[in-house]
């Protein structure tokens, strides 16, 4: 198998920022050689009497970073950073970092493409409250993506949850197949 064809199985972390200096944090992570992802979307703002279509972060205090060191080393990296931030943990009681599997992160990144228009972002709490069926998309441009099939405003969406955020893409329920239940 060719090296480029091998699937990258490196998990990701979600970082919560305690400042609004998103660009500065992104630049700093890039300088440190850390691969990161910031979900972006287009917003319309009015400047000098004209409407301008600009790209902005979906959530101003959330950055996803690829795990490139041990948890202990990453904990020290975050502690020593020039910006105040924390890694999202599994729970208040369990202080282990919440790892996002590579496949889940890959699908999440695909669903966050700013060019896709029929998409909604929801908070982590809203995503957990949404009732739905675990499915995999079998047909169409979203083929291969998995998530929860949920209904919102009489439309069906494929919901993908990651720590800190959820993204919903409009989908036809007929192209989705329910995953076998885990018992």
């Amino acid at each position: 198998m060719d090296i480029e064809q091998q699937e990258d199985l490196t998990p990701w972390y979600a970082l919560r920022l305690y400042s609004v200096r998103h660009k500065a944090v992104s630049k700093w992570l890039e300088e440190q050689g850390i691969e990161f992802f910031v979900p972006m979307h287009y917003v319309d703002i009015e400047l000098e009497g004209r409407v301008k279509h600009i790209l902005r972060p979906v959530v101003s205090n959330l950055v996803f970073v690829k795990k490139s060191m041990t948890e202990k080393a990453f904990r020290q990296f975050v502690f020593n950073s020039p910006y105040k931030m924390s890694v999202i943990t599994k729970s208040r009681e369990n202080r282990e970092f919440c790892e996002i599997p590579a496949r889940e992160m890959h699908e999440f990144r695909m669903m966050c493409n700013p060019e896709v228009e029929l998409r909604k972002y929801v908070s982590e709490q809203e995503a957990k409250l949404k009732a739905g069926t675990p499915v995999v998309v079998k047909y169409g441009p979203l083929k291969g993506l998995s998530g929860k099939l949920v209904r919102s405003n009489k439309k069906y969406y494929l919901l993908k949850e990651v720590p800190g955020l959820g993204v919903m893409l409009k989908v036809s329920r007929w192209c989705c197949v329910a995953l076998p239940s885990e018992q």
Side-chain angles (χ1 to χ4, degrees):
M1 183 187 282
D2 196 342
I3 291 176
E4 284 124 12
Q5 292 176 338
Q6 289 180 355
E7 189 177 350
D8 184 6
L9 300 175
T10 309
W12 290 67
Y13 293 130
L15 285 178
R16 181 169 285 123
L17 307 178
Y18 295 99
S19 73
V20 291
R21 300 182 61 199
H22 216 279
K23 285 183 181 177
V25 171
S26 296
K27 185 176 184 218
W28 178 74
L29 286 169
E30 195 172 309
E31 289 168 356
Q32 303 304 310
I34 303 291
E35 187 177 341
F36 66 95
F37 172 70
V38 178
M40 305 287 270
H41 67 140
Y42 284 105
V43 293
D44 294 331
I45 60 168
E46 191 172 330
L47 291 172
E48 302 163 5
R50 295 187 326 180
V51 176
K52 195 169 182 178
H53 207 54
I54 63 167
L55 207 52
R56 286 228 171 115
V58 172
V59 182
S60 62
N61 68 340
L62 197 61
V63 176
F64 297 94
V65 295
K66 194 172 201 174
K67 182 180 177 180
S68 59
M69 55 189 87
T70 65
E71 187 171 317
K72 185 178 179 181
F74 193 71
R75 195 176 296 273
Q76 194 62 40
F77 174 79
V78 169
F79 181 76
N80 292 333
S81 83
Y83 304 98
K84 190 168 179 178
M85 62 179 79
S86 68
V87 181
I88 295 179
T89 57
K90 292 183 178 181
S91 67
R92 288 189 188 268
E93 298 79 34
N94 186 351
R95 303 306 296 165
E96 288 180 49
F97 291 164
C98 191
E99 287 187 3
I100 306 165
R103 178 169 168 69
E104 293 293 312
M105 194 63 196
H106 175 73
E107 288 183 0
F108 178 74
R109 290 174 73 177
M110 287 176 51
M111 291 174 74
C112 288
N113 181 348
E115 303 301 322
V116 177
E117 293 181 12
L118 298 171
R119 179 189 58 228
K120 292 181 180 182
Y121 289 99
V122 293
S123 71
E124 183 178 17
Q125 291 78 19
E126 284 179 274
K128 287 191 186 316
L129 291 174
K130 292 226 178 263
T133 306
V135 296
V136 64
V137 180
K138 285 290 187 185
Y139 312 103
L142 303 177
K143 183 179 179 177
L145 293 181
S146 63
K148 218 172 18 173
L149 185 64
V150 298
R151 210 171 148 167
S152 177
N153 297 331
K154 299 182 183 177
K155 294 182 177 104
Y156 286 94
Y157 291 88
L158 182 68
L159 171 64
K160 178 65 76 178
E161 299 174 58
V162 294
L165 189 62
V167 62
M168 296 175 15
L169 277 183
K170 171 110 176 44
V171 68
S172 169
R173 70 180 173 147
W174 307 113
C175 66
C176 297
V177 176
L179 292 173
S181 61
E182 298 171 16
Q183 293 180 352

